[in-house]
Amino acid sequence: MQQEGKLGKIIFNNPENGYTVAVFDTEAGAIRIAGSFAEPKSGAKYRLEGRFTIHPKYGEQFSVSSYEEMMPEGADAILEFLSAGNIRGIGPKTAAQIVDVFGDEALTVIEETPEKLLNISGIGVKTLSKITESFGESREFANTAIELRELGIEMNEAVRVYKMYGKDSVRVVSENPYILAEDIRGINFNRADSIAAKLGVEPESNVRIESGIRYMLRSWAASGSTLMPEDHLVEKTAEFLDVMMDNVRDSLKDMVFAGELEEDSIDDIAVIYLYGYYHAEQRVAHELIKIRNAALKPVPLQSGNFLDAVRTDPGDLYGEGVELSVEQKRAILECLANNITIITGGPGTGKTTIINTLVRLFDFAGLSVALAAPTGRAAKRMEETSGKHAMTIHRMLEYVWSEEEDTLNFGRNEENPLEEDVIIVDEASMIDLMLMDGLLNAVKEGTRLIFTGDADQLPPVGAGNVLRDMIASECIPVIRLKEIFRQAEGSGIVTNSHLINSGEYPEQQSGNDFYIISKTGETSISDTIRELVGGRIEAGFDFVRSADDIQILTPTKRGMLGAPSLNAMLQEVINPPSADKAELKVGNITFREGDKVMQLRNNYGAEWHTDYLLTEGEGVFNGDMGIVERIDPADRTMTVRMDDRVIEYAGDMLEEIDLAYAVTVHKSQGSEFPVVVIPVLNFPPMLMTRNLLYTAVTRGKRLVIIVGDPARVRSMIDNNRADGRYTGLKWRLLALDADPFGRRL
């Protein structure tokens, strides 16, 4: 269906993807339109393609699938168009002069003989350049969009493509349509493959196979692998693309020869890396051994009495007596005796006490200490328990996001290292390879580095398995805490966490903080969760103030017990529709003021501020959680509070956030919640693992309830399948450790 008319008031426009909501004036009257425009111009005339749809809040609107900008005809229409500021360098006064001189031919002059504009008062060479450039861009996109559509690229995609490649869009896409999957958000490999097929790209072509290889490596990196065994990569790529394995192997050799990929051997197996992960893994291994082997700076304490002082001195260190176990003392001694130390153990084994003791000990010795964690929630918890300022690793490294280069840089690095004498990093199991690379690059010579965390939890979301590889290599001093302290012995959460981790089954009810409610069907499990969140838990436990204290942790995203389905159900229970609460539909999700939400990916450039704009900054990270404070449906914006940060979501950013009444166990890493409820049924085998259940249970601080089939709980505990990611850090550490000179591999 076509609509012709003039663009009126622009209600909302996202310059990143072109999404626009506006009033459109037609001969039949004004209508509301929504769609993607490269650069919408009020007062400009357009021919729109699309259809009428019904918006749940605003009623009927015209959804634009494509458009063509029509040049206005007649002096009056041209004057209105130019006066609206649609062309840089032309304002109302200049527009009037141009139309007075050239009349109906004004736009023809601008397009074909722009040098004639130099006769207009106020237009010089620089202004003329702005005018011709601006007018040319408008016409250029119109022509480019038409050509891109002939290639099978829709308008919303064309806007993004044009913003990336400009006037070269058609040439770039025609030469290699697969580059779209690498450069344009929202276009995946399969979409690019369909465009390539329309362009006549042969299935066995090198450009298709090479793109498929990159896609497979990136997919595995997204699942945690820093490398792939070469034979496995060839086999899986050939299967995915439905091509001959010999052709994949030939293309792979070409990519390695060209330096696009790195080939190496790990434990006598040929492996392939994306360039960045290969060199990051090398640097991390080298820096770890370098830090370990550096000359040790002694801590200015009298070694004979400092532990007694820590245990009994009520003044200088703690302010109260603290009894340390033999394991804890040994951990502290290792931290004093080494440049780098790992302290690992499950819940209730005293990691927090060790951190707090070390902080006071180093303070007592006059050494500066930095505390950090991978997530904001973990850093906040670290600060609350230690009484000392803590921050995320990103903030400690003073990250800077460059929009122009689309890269993340750290202000703290080898040239500008961290200044503290001691760096203590908690929740180290969450640190991926790239973040560890940035951290180690900023550690100056002589700094003590202490990692604490639970190596038995799920590995990091990003690529790598750094903590486990460090421990498995046996090249870094490690203290494993196994003793459960008296104050934690009565906790069913702590007791059962350790039972699960050791392969033993928990009791149906343990203490007053751990329960298994036996249910064997999706519907009955979902209904039970609804009852628990809807008031049953709150009525039974006085420490639960509201449903906000309850977090559902599910192993999966799919089915009735997946995060999306549970979120839809729980939203109706916890935050039902109300005339007092504005809503905003994004894709299949309806957000509502008061909703609990979670950030889905790192956005280093997202702007935030604290109350009253006292502090401003950038960056919101994967797993950050908050509450929707305000929604402006007209502008399609959503204001979210995440602890002390206030962030406005609009445009593409709206796709980065999700409801968070229920989240996957992977997304919960680094967080603690007063109450955790875990549905367990017959999920896919890769999710039915011991360490996933262990991680979920250890997220609960005061109450854990498993709702599901006890037989499935037992099968998860029996399945001690390790995370199937491929990494090479362990082997690089072993190789460097065997080299007396610690040379880079």
PDB file of all heavy atoms in Angstrom, residues 150-153 173-180 188-205 207-208 241:
ATOM      1  N   GLU A 150      16.953  -3.808  -4.430  1.00  0.00           N
ATOM      2  CA  GLU A 150      17.043  -4.747  -5.550  1.00  0.00           C
ATOM      3  C   GLU A 150      17.961  -5.917  -5.209  1.00  0.00           C
ATOM      4  O   GLU A 150      17.840  -6.999  -5.784  1.00  0.00           O
ATOM      5  CB  GLU A 150      17.547  -4.026  -6.795  1.00  0.00           C
ATOM      6  CG  GLU A 150      16.539  -3.017  -7.361  1.00  0.00           C
ATOM      7  CD  GLU A 150      17.110  -2.220  -8.519  1.00  0.00           C
ATOM      8  OE1 GLU A 150      18.317  -2.400  -8.799  1.00  0.00           O
ATOM      9  OE2 GLU A 150      16.367  -1.431  -9.117  1.00  0.00           O
ATOM     10  N   LEU A 151      18.868  -5.689  -4.230  1.00  0.00           N
ATOM     11  CA  LEU A 151      19.759  -6.763  -3.787  1.00  0.00           C
ATOM     12  C   LEU A 151      19.123  -7.606  -2.684  1.00  0.00           C
ATOM     13  O   LEU A 151      19.739  -8.563  -2.193  1.00  0.00           O
ATOM     14  CB  LEU A 151      21.078  -6.179  -3.262  1.00  0.00           C
ATOM     15  CG  LEU A 151      21.897  -5.327  -4.233  1.00  0.00           C
ATOM     16  CD1 LEU A 151      23.178  -4.845  -3.568  1.00  0.00           C
ATOM     17  CD2 LEU A 151      22.208  -6.097  -5.503  1.00  0.00           C
ATOM     18  N   GLY A 152      17.905  -7.239  -2.276  1.00  0.00           N
ATOM     19  CA  GLY A 152      17.208  -7.997  -1.239  1.00  0.00           C
ATOM     20  C   GLY A 152      17.372  -7.437   0.151  1.00  0.00           C
ATOM     21  O   GLY A 152      17.074  -8.116   1.139  1.00  0.00           O
ATOM     22  N   ILE A 153      17.836  -6.181   0.261  1.00  0.00           N
ATOM     23  CA  ILE A 153      18.048  -5.556   1.563  1.00  0.00           C
ATOM     24  C   ILE A 153      16.863  -4.643   1.882  1.00  0.00           C
ATOM     25  O   ILE A 153      16.570  -3.720   1.125  1.00  0.00           O
ATOM     26  CB  ILE A 153      19.371  -4.758   1.577  1.00  0.00           C
ATOM     27  CG1 ILE A 153      20.542  -5.720   1.373  1.00  0.00           C
ATOM     28  CG2 ILE A 153      19.539  -3.989   2.874  1.00  0.00           C
ATOM     29  CD1 ILE A 153      21.883  -5.035   1.256  1.00  0.00           C
ATOM     30  N   VAL A 173      28.557  -4.199  -0.770  1.00  0.00           N
ATOM     31  CA  VAL A 173      27.673  -5.362  -0.632  1.00  0.00           C
ATOM     32  C   VAL A 173      27.785  -6.278  -1.843  1.00  0.00           C
ATOM     33  O   VAL A 173      27.791  -7.505  -1.707  1.00  0.00           O
ATOM     34  CB  VAL A 173      26.212  -4.915  -0.421  1.00  0.00           C
ATOM     35  CG1 VAL A 173      25.267  -6.115  -0.418  1.00  0.00           C
ATOM     36  CG2 VAL A 173      26.082  -4.144   0.885  1.00  0.00           C
ATOM     37  N   SER A 174      27.889  -5.696  -3.023  1.00  0.00           N
ATOM     38  CA  SER A 174      27.987  -6.511  -4.243  1.00  0.00           C
ATOM     39  C   SER A 174      29.273  -7.317  -4.272  1.00  0.00           C
ATOM     40  O   SER A 174      29.296  -8.469  -4.726  1.00  0.00           O
ATOM     41  CB  SER A 174      27.902  -5.615  -5.480  1.00  0.00           C
ATOM     42  OG  SER A 174      26.667  -4.941  -5.535  1.00  0.00           O
ATOM     43  N   GLU A 175      30.372  -6.708  -3.786  1.00  0.00           N
ATOM     44  CA  GLU A 175      31.656  -7.400  -3.799  1.00  0.00           C
ATOM     45  C   GLU A 175      31.712  -8.516  -2.767  1.00  0.00           C
ATOM     46  O   GLU A 175      32.297  -9.577  -3.013  1.00  0.00           O
ATOM     47  CB  GLU A 175      32.798  -6.402  -3.545  1.00  0.00           C
ATOM     48  CG  GLU A 175      33.039  -5.448  -4.704  1.00  0.00           C
ATOM     49  CD  GLU A 175      34.134  -4.442  -4.389  1.00  0.00           C
ATOM     50  OE1 GLU A 175      34.651  -4.459  -3.246  1.00  0.00           O
ATOM     51  OE2 GLU A 175      34.475  -3.643  -5.282  1.00  0.00           O
ATOM     52  N   ASN A 176      31.121  -8.271  -1.592  1.00  0.00           N
ATOM     53  CA  ASN A 176      31.146  -9.287  -0.530  1.00  0.00           C
ATOM     54  C   ASN A 176      29.949  -9.090   0.399  1.00  0.00           C
ATOM     55  O   ASN A 176      30.045  -8.411   1.407  1.00  0.00           O
ATOM     56  CB  ASN A 176      32.445  -9.196   0.274  1.00  0.00           C
ATOM     57  CG  ASN A 176      32.497 -10.239   1.386  1.00  0.00           C
ATOM     58  OD1 ASN A 176      31.674 -11.154   1.435  1.00  0.00           O
ATOM     59  ND2 ASN A 176      33.449 -10.090   2.291  1.00  0.00           N
ATOM     60  N   PRO A 177      28.812  -9.700   0.071  1.00  0.00           N
ATOM     61  CA  PRO A 177      27.620  -9.537   0.912  1.00  0.00           C
ATOM     62  C   PRO A 177      27.809 -10.089   2.317  1.00  0.00           C
ATOM     63  O   PRO A 177      27.087  -9.697   3.243  1.00  0.00           O
ATOM     64  CB  PRO A 177      26.538 -10.305   0.149  1.00  0.00           C
ATOM     65  CG  PRO A 177      27.276 -11.233  -0.755  1.00  0.00           C
ATOM     66  CD  PRO A 177      28.549 -10.546  -1.107  1.00  0.00           C
ATOM     67  N   TYR A 178      28.774 -10.966   2.504  1.00  0.00           N
ATOM     68  CA  TYR A 178      28.975 -11.578   3.825  1.00  0.00           C
ATOM     69  C   TYR A 178      29.553 -10.600   4.834  1.00  0.00           C
ATOM     70  O   TYR A 178      29.488 -10.838   6.047  1.00  0.00           O
ATOM     71  CB  TYR A 178      29.872 -12.812   3.701  1.00  0.00           C
ATOM     72  CG  TYR A 178      29.204 -13.918   2.925  1.00  0.00           C
ATOM     73  CD1 TYR A 178      29.509 -14.128   1.579  1.00  0.00           C
ATOM     74  CD2 TYR A 178      28.238 -14.728   3.516  1.00  0.00           C
ATOM     75  CE1 TYR A 178      28.880 -15.130   0.853  1.00  0.00           C
ATOM     76  CE2 TYR A 178      27.601 -15.727   2.793  1.00  0.00           C
ATOM     77  CZ  TYR A 178      27.916 -15.922   1.468  1.00  0.00           C
ATOM     78  OH  TYR A 178      27.286 -16.902   0.753  1.00  0.00           O
ATOM     79  N   ILE A 179      30.096  -9.491   4.345  1.00  0.00           N
ATOM     80  CA  ILE A 179      30.617  -8.492   5.270  1.00  0.00           C
ATOM     81  C   ILE A 179      29.501  -7.882   6.109  1.00  0.00           C
ATOM     82  O   ILE A 179      29.729  -7.360   7.201  1.00  0.00           O
ATOM     83  CB  ILE A 179      31.398  -7.395   4.507  1.00  0.00           C
ATOM     84  CG1 ILE A 179      32.322  -6.639   5.471  1.00  0.00           C
ATOM     85  CG2 ILE A 179      30.435  -6.438   3.794  1.00  0.00           C
ATOM     86  CD1 ILE A 179      33.276  -5.704   4.774  1.00  0.00           C
ATOM     87  N   LEU A 180      28.259  -7.982   5.609  1.00  0.00           N
ATOM     88  CA  LEU A 180      27.116  -7.473   6.366  1.00  0.00           C
ATOM     89  C   LEU A 180      26.987  -8.179   7.704  1.00  0.00           C
ATOM     90  O   LEU A 180      26.647  -7.561   8.721  1.00  0.00           O
ATOM     91  CB  LEU A 180      25.822  -7.662   5.561  1.00  0.00           C
ATOM     92  CG  LEU A 180      25.707  -6.888   4.251  1.00  0.00           C
ATOM     93  CD1 LEU A 180      24.471  -7.339   3.482  1.00  0.00           C
ATOM     94  CD2 LEU A 180      25.647  -5.394   4.516  1.00  0.00           C
ATOM     95  N   ASN A 188      22.554 -11.459  10.421  1.00  0.00           N
ATOM     96  CA  ASN A 188      23.378 -12.606  10.761  1.00  0.00           C
ATOM     97  C   ASN A 188      23.883 -13.298   9.493  1.00  0.00           C
ATOM     98  O   ASN A 188      23.594 -12.855   8.376  1.00  0.00           O
ATOM     99  CB  ASN A 188      22.604 -13.584  11.652  1.00  0.00           C
ATOM    100  CG  ASN A 188      21.321 -14.085  11.004  1.00  0.00           C
ATOM    101  OD1 ASN A 188      21.203 -14.119   9.780  1.00  0.00           O
ATOM    102  ND2 ASN A 188      20.362 -14.482  11.825  1.00  0.00           N
ATOM    103  N   PHE A 189      24.624 -14.379   9.689  1.00  0.00           N
ATOM    104  CA  PHE A 189      25.231 -15.049   8.540  1.00  0.00           C
ATOM    105  C   PHE A 189      24.168 -15.575   7.579  1.00  0.00           C
ATOM    106  O   PHE A 189      24.310 -15.450   6.358  1.00  0.00           O
ATOM    107  CB  PHE A 189      26.131 -16.191   9.001  1.00  0.00           C
ATOM    108  CG  PHE A 189      26.785 -16.928   7.849  1.00  0.00           C
ATOM    109  CD1 PHE A 189      27.986 -16.485   7.332  1.00  0.00           C
ATOM    110  CD2 PHE A 189      26.176 -18.036   7.271  1.00  0.00           C
ATOM    111  CE1 PHE A 189      28.580 -17.138   6.263  1.00  0.00           C
ATOM    112  CE2 PHE A 189      26.762 -18.698   6.200  1.00  0.00           C
ATOM    113  CZ  PHE A 189      27.967 -18.244   5.698  1.00  0.00           C
ATOM    114  N   ASN A 190      23.123 -16.172   8.114  1.00  0.00           N
ATOM    115  CA  ASN A 190      22.088 -16.738   7.254  1.00  0.00           C
ATOM    116  C   ASN A 190      21.420 -15.660   6.403  1.00  0.00           C
ATOM    117  O   ASN A 190      21.101 -15.885   5.231  1.00  0.00           O
ATOM    118  CB  ASN A 190      21.043 -17.474   8.092  1.00  0.00           C
ATOM    119  CG  ASN A 190      21.597 -18.749   8.692  1.00  0.00           C
ATOM    120  OD1 ASN A 190      22.502 -19.364   8.138  1.00  0.00           O
ATOM    121  ND2 ASN A 190      21.068 -19.146   9.840  1.00  0.00           N
ATOM    122  N   ARG A 191      21.204 -14.496   6.977  1.00  0.00           N
ATOM    123  CA  ARG A 191      20.613 -13.385   6.215  1.00  0.00           C
ATOM    124  C   ARG A 191      21.578 -12.950   5.109  1.00  0.00           C
ATOM    125  O   ARG A 191      21.178 -12.727   3.964  1.00  0.00           O
ATOM    126  CB  ARG A 191      20.304 -12.220   7.154  1.00  0.00           C
ATOM    127  CG  ARG A 191      19.691 -11.012   6.466  1.00  0.00           C
ATOM    128  CD  ARG A 191      18.220 -11.222   6.175  1.00  0.00           C
ATOM    129  NE  ARG A 191      17.652 -10.061   5.503  1.00  0.00           N
ATOM    130  CZ  ARG A 191      17.494  -9.975   4.196  1.00  0.00           C
ATOM    131  NH1 ARG A 191      17.839 -10.984   3.414  1.00  0.00           N
ATOM    132  NH2 ARG A 191      16.964  -8.889   3.661  1.00  0.00           N
ATOM    133  N   ALA A 192      22.844 -12.795   5.456  1.00  0.00           N
ATOM    134  CA  ALA A 192      23.839 -12.406   4.450  1.00  0.00           C
ATOM    135  C   ALA A 192      23.960 -13.477   3.373  1.00  0.00           C
ATOM    136  O   ALA A 192      24.140 -13.169   2.185  1.00  0.00           O
ATOM    137  CB  ALA A 192      25.194 -12.172   5.127  1.00  0.00           C
ATOM    138  N   ASP A 193      23.825 -14.736   3.770  1.00  0.00           N
ATOM    139  CA  ASP A 193      23.921 -15.840   2.819  1.00  0.00           C
ATOM    140  C   ASP A 193      22.776 -15.794   1.809  1.00  0.00           C
ATOM    141  O   ASP A 193      22.971 -16.071   0.616  1.00  0.00           O
ATOM    142  CB  ASP A 193      23.901 -17.167   3.583  1.00  0.00           C
ATOM    143  CG  ASP A 193      24.543 -18.299   2.789  1.00  0.00           C
ATOM    144  OD1 ASP A 193      25.407 -18.027   1.938  1.00  0.00           O
ATOM    145  OD2 ASP A 193      24.168 -19.458   3.028  1.00  0.00           O
ATOM    146  N   SER A 194      21.584 -15.414   2.281  1.00  0.00           N
ATOM    147  CA  SER A 194      20.444 -15.322   1.359  1.00  0.00           C
ATOM    148  C   SER A 194      20.623 -14.164   0.383  1.00  0.00           C
ATOM    149  O   SER A 194      20.260 -14.261  -0.794  1.00  0.00           O
ATOM    150  CB  SER A 194      19.140 -15.155   2.148  1.00  0.00           C
ATOM    151  OG  SER A 194      19.095 -13.910   2.817  1.00  0.00           O
ATOM    152  N   ILE A 195      21.211 -13.067   0.855  1.00  0.00           N
ATOM    153  CA  ILE A 195      21.494 -11.929  -0.033  1.00  0.00           C
ATOM    154  C   ILE A 195      22.548 -12.330  -1.062  1.00  0.00           C
ATOM    155  O   ILE A 195      22.444 -12.004  -2.250  1.00  0.00           O
ATOM    156  CB  ILE A 195      21.959 -10.707   0.790  1.00  0.00           C
ATOM    157  CG1 ILE A 195      20.813 -10.203   1.679  1.00  0.00           C
ATOM    158  CG2 ILE A 195      22.453  -9.589  -0.122  1.00  0.00           C
ATOM    159  CD1 ILE A 195      21.241  -9.171   2.701  1.00  0.00           C
ATOM    160  N   ALA A 196      23.553 -13.069  -0.594  1.00  0.00           N
ATOM    161  CA  ALA A 196      24.614 -13.522  -1.500  1.00  0.00           C
ATOM    162  C   ALA A 196      24.059 -14.431  -2.586  1.00  0.00           C
ATOM    163  O   ALA A 196      24.469 -14.356  -3.758  1.00  0.00           O
ATOM    164  CB  ALA A 196      25.699 -14.240  -0.705  1.00  0.00           C
ATOM    165  N   ALA A 197      23.110 -15.292  -2.197  1.00  0.00           N
ATOM    166  CA  ALA A 197      22.520 -16.200  -3.183  1.00  0.00           C
ATOM    167  C   ALA A 197      21.799 -15.422  -4.275  1.00  0.00           C
ATOM    168  O   ALA A 197      21.874 -15.775  -5.465  1.00  0.00           O
ATOM    169  CB  ALA A 197      21.557 -17.162  -2.486  1.00  0.00           C
ATOM    170  N   LYS A 198      21.110 -14.330  -3.906  1.00  0.00           N
ATOM    171  CA  LYS A 198      20.424 -13.504  -4.896  1.00  0.00           C
ATOM    172  C   LYS A 198      21.412 -12.813  -5.826  1.00  0.00           C
ATOM    173  O   LYS A 198      21.088 -12.503  -6.972  1.00  0.00           O
ATOM    174  CB  LYS A 198      19.552 -12.467  -4.193  1.00  0.00           C
ATOM    175  CG  LYS A 198      18.345 -13.060  -3.476  1.00  0.00           C
ATOM    176  CD  LYS A 198      17.513 -11.980  -2.813  1.00  0.00           C
ATOM    177  CE  LYS A 198      16.302 -12.577  -2.108  1.00  0.00           C
ATOM    178  NZ  LYS A 198      15.483 -11.551  -1.423  1.00  0.00           N
ATOM    179  N   LEU A 199      22.609 -12.567  -5.294  1.00  0.00           N
ATOM    180  CA  LEU A 199      23.642 -11.932  -6.111  1.00  0.00           C
ATOM    181  C   LEU A 199      24.399 -12.948  -6.968  1.00  0.00           C
ATOM    182  O   LEU A 199      25.301 -12.568  -7.729  1.00  0.00           O
ATOM    183  CB  LEU A 199      24.628 -11.181  -5.203  1.00  0.00           C
ATOM    184  CG  LEU A 199      24.101  -9.906  -4.550  1.00  0.00           C
ATOM    185  CD1 LEU A 199      25.093  -9.379  -3.523  1.00  0.00           C
ATOM    186  CD2 LEU A 199      23.834  -8.841  -5.608  1.00  0.00           C
ATOM    187  N   GLY A 200      24.062 -14.210  -6.817  1.00  0.00           N
ATOM    188  CA  GLY A 200      24.695 -15.227  -7.649  1.00  0.00           C
ATOM    189  C   GLY A 200      25.994 -15.771  -7.115  1.00  0.00           C
ATOM    190  O   GLY A 200      26.768 -16.392  -7.861  1.00  0.00           O
ATOM    191  N   VAL A 201      26.266 -15.572  -5.803  1.00  0.00           N
ATOM    192  CA  VAL A 201      27.491 -16.118  -5.218  1.00  0.00           C
ATOM    193  C   VAL A 201      27.373 -17.635  -5.147  1.00  0.00           C
ATOM    194  O   VAL A 201      26.401 -18.173  -4.609  1.00  0.00           O
ATOM    195  CB  VAL A 201      27.735 -15.539  -3.806  1.00  0.00           C
ATOM    196  CG1 VAL A 201      28.979 -16.168  -3.176  1.00  0.00           C
ATOM    197  CG2 VAL A 201      27.881 -14.022  -3.873  1.00  0.00           C
ATOM    198  N   GLU A 202      28.354 -18.335  -5.679  1.00  0.00           N
ATOM    199  CA  GLU A 202      28.324 -19.791  -5.713  1.00  0.00           C
ATOM    200  C   GLU A 202      28.524 -20.369  -4.308  1.00  0.00           C
ATOM    201  O   GLU A 202      29.329 -19.843  -3.526  1.00  0.00           O
ATOM    202  CB  GLU A 202      29.411 -20.330  -6.642  1.00  0.00           C
ATOM    203  CG  GLU A 202      29.202 -19.989  -8.108  1.00  0.00           C
ATOM    204  CD  GLU A 202      27.964 -20.673  -8.673  1.00  0.00           C
ATOM    205  OE1 GLU A 202      27.638 -21.796  -8.208  1.00  0.00           O
ATOM    206  OE2 GLU A 202      27.327 -20.089  -9.579  1.00  0.00           O
ATOM    207  N   PRO A 203      27.830 -21.467  -3.975  1.00  0.00           N
ATOM    208  CA  PRO A 203      27.960 -22.074  -2.639  1.00  0.00           C
ATOM    209  C   PRO A 203      29.388 -22.451  -2.271  1.00  0.00           C
ATOM    210  O   PRO A 203      29.771 -22.389  -1.110  1.00  0.00           O
ATOM    211  CB  PRO A 203      27.063 -23.319  -2.736  1.00  0.00           C
ATOM    212  CG  PRO A 203      26.065 -22.986  -3.793  1.00  0.00           C
ATOM    213  CD  PRO A 203      26.811 -22.141  -4.797  1.00  0.00           C
ATOM    214  N   GLU A 204      30.189 -22.860  -3.267  1.00  0.00           N
ATOM    215  CA  GLU A 204      31.561 -23.292  -2.996  1.00  0.00           C
ATOM    216  C   GLU A 204      32.582 -22.165  -3.171  1.00  0.00           C
ATOM    217  O   GLU A 204      33.789 -22.421  -3.156  1.00  0.00           O
ATOM    218  CB  GLU A 204      31.934 -24.456  -3.936  1.00  0.00           C
ATOM    219  CG  GLU A 204      31.082 -25.700  -3.764  1.00  0.00           C
ATOM    220  CD  GLU A 204      31.512 -26.559  -2.584  1.00  0.00           C
ATOM    221  OE1 GLU A 204      32.582 -26.281  -2.018  1.00  0.00           O
ATOM    222  OE2 GLU A 204      30.779 -27.505  -2.241  1.00  0.00           O
ATOM    223  N   SER A 205      32.115 -20.931  -3.306  1.00  0.00           N
ATOM    224  CA  SER A 205      33.039 -19.811  -3.529  1.00  0.00           C
ATOM    225  C   SER A 205      33.892 -19.561  -2.291  1.00  0.00           C
ATOM    226  O   SER A 205      33.474 -19.797  -1.155  1.00  0.00           O
ATOM    227  CB  SER A 205      32.269 -18.544  -3.883  1.00  0.00           C
ATOM    228  OG  SER A 205      31.542 -18.089  -2.767  1.00  0.00           O
ATOM    229  N   VAL A 207      34.791 -16.714  -1.011  1.00  0.00           N
ATOM    230  CA  VAL A 207      34.286 -15.652  -0.156  1.00  0.00           C
ATOM    231  C   VAL A 207      33.224 -16.199   0.805  1.00  0.00           C
ATOM    232  O   VAL A 207      33.154 -15.800   1.975  1.00  0.00           O
ATOM    233  CB  VAL A 207      33.723 -14.480  -1.001  1.00  0.00           C
ATOM    234  CG1 VAL A 207      32.459 -14.889  -1.762  1.00  0.00           C
ATOM    235  CG2 VAL A 207      33.419 -13.274  -0.112  1.00  0.00           C
ATOM    236  N   ARG A 208      32.407 -17.145   0.335  1.00  0.00           N
ATOM    237  CA  ARG A 208      31.383 -17.737   1.208  1.00  0.00           C
ATOM    238  C   ARG A 208      32.022 -18.641   2.257  1.00  0.00           C
ATOM    239  O   ARG A 208      31.665 -18.589   3.441  1.00  0.00           O
ATOM    240  CB  ARG A 208      30.375 -18.536   0.384  1.00  0.00           C
ATOM    241  CG  ARG A 208      29.267 -19.175   1.223  1.00  0.00           C
ATOM    242  CD  ARG A 208      28.178 -19.789   0.353  1.00  0.00           C
ATOM    243  NE  ARG A 208      27.085 -20.282   1.169  1.00  0.00           N
ATOM    244  CZ  ARG A 208      26.937 -21.553   1.537  1.00  0.00           C
ATOM    245  NH1 ARG A 208      27.811 -22.462   1.123  1.00  0.00           N
ATOM    246  NH2 ARG A 208      25.919 -21.916   2.292  1.00  0.00           N
ATOM    247  N   LEU A 241      27.913 -25.206   5.997  1.00  0.00           N
ATOM    248  CA  LEU A 241      27.775 -24.592   4.674  1.00  0.00           C
ATOM    249  C   LEU A 241      27.338 -25.581   3.596  1.00  0.00           C
ATOM    250  O   LEU A 241      26.987 -25.151   2.488  1.00  0.00           O
ATOM    251  CB  LEU A 241      29.118 -23.969   4.248  1.00  0.00           C
ATOM    252  CG  LEU A 241      29.656 -22.828   5.111  1.00  0.00           C
ATOM    253  CD1 LEU A 241      31.023 -22.393   4.599  1.00  0.00           C
ATOM    254  CD2 LEU A 241      28.701 -21.646   5.138  1.00  0.00           C
TER     255      LEU A 241
END
